[in-house]
Amino acid sequence: MTQHGPVLPLWLCEMCDRPWPCAIRREELLDEYADSSFTLAVYLGTLLVSAERDMSWAPPDALRLRFLGWLP
């Protein structure tokens, strides 16, 4: 289990205080979903919707890049 989970509603990493998903959590997610990149994209897309609700002040394009833009 990771210690790099999100602190809501700001979506900051509870461990390193960076925007979630932080670099460490991204690597963990890539490892966890190595056999199913589609499932990872769906999972992150679902979290993106929650983050957009929580951070309605944040630019939507920036949130999309943050949650999905790093996927291979």
Side-chain angles (χ1 to χ4, degrees), residues 2-70:
T2 186
Q3 293 182 359
H4 290 267
V7 175
L8 306 178
L10 296 178
W11 292 84
L12 296 174
C13 177
E14 66 184 330
M15 191 67 160
C16 60
D17 205 34
R18 293 202 167 115
W20 194 93
C22 65
I24 292 171
R25 186 62 182 138
R26 288 177 183 189
E27 287 297 319
E28 292 173 345
L29 286 167
L30 288 174
D31 288 342
E32 289 173 32
Y33 289 87
D35 295 330
S36 184
S37 59
F38 177 78
T39 303
L40 175 57
V42 170
Y43 170 65
L44 289 171
T46 302
L47 295 177
L48 169 61
V49 171
S50 295
E52 286 176 328
R53 272 189 258 124
D54 288 342
M55 297 186 295
S56 58
W57 47 266
D61 288 339
L63 288 177
R64 277 187 215 103
L65 282 173
R66 178 172 157 183
F67 280 81
L68 300 172
W70 57 273

